[in-house]
């Protein structure tokens, strides 16, 4: 149950983060500067690739930051141009504006709901 609840809360957080950045963020182009490979936490220990994005803010500051969502295989390769939305109050806080970020929060929340439903059904039937 804890895992399902965690996924629901994380998903809702990602949905809200995207909504807030769409309302008040600034859209610019960025480039995948490099990929950072790290083992995920937890028991399954999977190698994930996190893109490091470089972009220029409207006030001409160069920002180079690692994206907080990794994947395997990597969704990007070095040199890819990506659309990003950054927070003008915290220029290092950004999302990559693509289909994946549009559905990521919803997918997490739905998986969490499915896990919770499965646990509830299991306990009702046993």
């Amino acid at each position: 149950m804890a895992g399902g609840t965690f996924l629901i809360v994380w998903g809702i957080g990602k949905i809200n983060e995207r909504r807030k950045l769409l309302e008040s963020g600034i859209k610019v182009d960025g480039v995948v500067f490099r990929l950072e490979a790290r083992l995920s936490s937890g028991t399954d220990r999977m190698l994930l690739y996190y893109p490091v994005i470089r972009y220029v803010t409207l006030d001409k500051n160069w920002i180079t930051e690692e994206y907080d969502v990794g994947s395997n295989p990597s969704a990007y390769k070095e040199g890819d141009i990506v659309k990003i939305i950054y927070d003008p109050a915290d220029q290092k806080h950004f999302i990559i504006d693509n289909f994946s970020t549009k559905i990521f929060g919803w997918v997490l929340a739905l998986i969490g709901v499915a896990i919770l439903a499965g646990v509830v059904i299991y306990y009702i039937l046993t």
Side-chain angles (χ1 to χ4, degrees):
M1 284 186 81
T5 303
F6 172 77
L7 288 176
I8 292 169
V9 171
W10 187 23
I12 291 170
K14 285 295 184 184
I15 292 166
N16 286 334
E17 174 187 26
R18 179 176 170 71
R19 182 185 49 77
K20 287 177 184 174
L21 283 173
L22 284 171
E23 290 172 359
S24 63
I26 298 172
K27 294 182 180 185
V28 296
D29 286 337
V31 64
V32 178
F33 187 65
R34 70 177 178 273
L35 296 172
E36 292 289 332
R38 281 199 315 275
L39 288 174
S40 64
S41 59
T43 57
D44 55 351
R45 306 287 295 172
M46 183 174 156
L47 185 65
L48 296 176
Y49 297 94
Y50 294 83
V52 175
I53 308 297
R54 177 173 276 182
Y55 56 96
V56 179
T57 64
L58 290 183
D59 55 355
K60 306 296 183 213
N61 289 325
W62 280 96
I63 305 292
T64 305
E65 282 295 313
E66 183 176 285
Y67 195 48
D68 62 355
V69 178
S71 62
N72 188 351
S74 176
Y76 306 98
K77 60 182 188 291
E78 289 182 14
D80 282 353
I81 304 297
V82 292
K83 301 284 184 192
I84 66 149
I85 306 171
Y86 72 88
D87 183 348
D90 179 5
Q91 295 178 343
K92 292 184 176 189
H93 179 228
F94 71 95
I95 61 169
I96 297 174
D97 188 24
N98 60 17
F99 180 73
S100 295
T101 60
K102 289 177 186 174
I103 66 166
F104 185 65
W106 293 104
V107 169
L108 287 175
L110 288 173
I111 291 170
V113 167
I115 290 170
L116 278 179
V119 169
V120 169
I121 290 168
Y122 174 79
Y123 281 110
I124 289 173
L125 297 176
T126 58

